[in-house]
Every structure is written in C-alpha cells, then in structure tokens.
Amino acid sequence: MQPSYISSEIVLTPEQKAKFEKDYQLTADMQKTGGQVIIGIIKKLNMTEARLRGLAGLNRGVRFDYTEGVVQKRFIISVIMALGLNVHAAAYILQANGMTFNTNDRTDRAYIYLIEEHKGKDIETCNAILRDLGVETKYFLGSQERGAYRLRKQK
C-alpha cells in the first residue's frame, strides 16, 4: 500500500528515468569519499596505513577505506595533523565526510588553530594544546586508548 503523501500515478516516462540513470552513472564516482581522499594522500606521500595510524595515534583497527558508518571528526583531525595538511585540505576532507568546521564551536575553532599554528606536532602535544584551550577530553585526537597497546598472548 502506497502512503497517501505519494501520488499513485506514474509521473516520469521511461525515457526520463533512463536519462536520469545515464546521468547518474556518468557522475556516480566523481566525488570521492573521505576515506578515498585520505587513501589517495597516503599513496602520494608513499606512506603506509600502519605508519599513518601510528602518527595519528589511532589503533590498528582503524581503517581508512571506510564506506559506511559514522566517522568522528576527531579521527579526521588526527589524520590531518599526522599528514601535516593545511586548513583548506582539512575542510575538503571534512566535506568529503559530510562535515564542516563550525567557527562558532569552541572545539572546531581549536582544531582550526591546531591545523594553522601547530602543523607537524605529535598527537600528544596536540592533545595538550587542546587541553590548554579548554577542549573536553572526549574531543582529543587519536584513539584515546588506556596505556600502550600490548599484543595479547594466544591461548
């Protein structure tokens, strides 16, 4: 049964639907996802994903080729800082992830400050700067694991 807010009559002709499908197929892969952009940058820098995870303070379970699910802004900023990107590249990657900077938001403003003023700093220093700027710890960079990662012994 069709909901009442949708017309039951056919609106588009088969030709119109075919044209839409053709146009869609031409452009469907033109806009890259945030993960695809990050993977492209990793390749251009001849870096491995493992190296980037280490620089960004992310655990080894983090993948950059994500295609679904919600990615937290702090993870993206962690990667941006690890790659030493500028604020314009950061805005592009955020947009590819369906996000943007909100300059009225204290945390976003602190992230912009980090990118503009502290490029090249390690994640621990970046988090100390965020702390000094009054950002809540839940918005700190990296995976925020408790202590160093240790490989568990196999039973």
Side-chain angles (χ1 to χ4, degrees):
M1 179 174 206
Q2 185 116 354
S4 62
Y5 57 86
I6 299 174
S7 174
S8 59
E9 64 185 76
I10 302 296
V11 177
L12 294 177
T13 66
E15 292 80 19
Q16 288 172 315
K17 290 195 282 187
K19 181 180 179 326
F20 171 83
E21 189 60 36
K22 180 183 174 190
D23 291 346
Y24 172 73
Q25 292 303 324
L26 285 174
T27 61
D29 63 351
M30 285 183 149
Q31 185 172 357
K32 294 182 178 186
T33 66
Q36 290 169 327
V37 172
I38 291 169
I39 298 244
I41 293 169
I42 292 169
K43 287 179 181 176
K44 287 179 183 176
L45 294 174
N46 291 319
M47 183 183 286
T48 65
E49 289 187 35
R51 173 91 173 116
L52 178 57
R53 276 192 292 277
L55 291 172
L58 300 173
N59 67 37
R60 66 182 185 171
V62 172
R63 297 180 51 115
F64 300 109
D65 62 347
Y66 52 86
T67 55
E68 53 189 55
V70 177
V71 179
Q72 295 179 16
K73 189 180 280 186
R74 67 184 183 83
F75 284 121
I76 296 168
I77 301 302
S78 299
V79 168
I80 288 163
M81 291 305 294
L83 293 171
L85 302 178
N86 64 35
V87 74
H88 301 291
Y92 176 73
I93 293 170
L94 285 172
Q95 182 181 18
N97 282 285
M99 298 176 211
T100 188
F101 283 123
N102 176 356
T103 56
N104 294 324
D105 181 82
R106 182 177 194 82
T107 301
D108 279 9
R109 196 65 201 124
Y111 288 157
I112 292 167
Y113 173 76
L114 266 182
I115 294 165
E116 289 179 336
E117 302 295 330
H118 298 282
K119 190 185 311 188
K121 302 276 190 209
D122 59 77
I123 293 302
E124 292 80 12
T125 302
C126 290
N127 283 334
I129 293 167
L130 292 174
R131 178 202 60 219
D132 291 351
L133 294 173
V135 173
E136 292 179 65
T137 57
K138 66 182 179 180
Y139 299 116
F140 283 8
L141 306 183
S143 291
Q144 302 180 5
E145 294 177 339
R146 295 182 184 154
Y149 174 78
R150 290 184 181 88
L151 186 62
R152 293 183 182 174
K153 292 181 181 178
Q154 300 294 325
K155 293 182 181 181

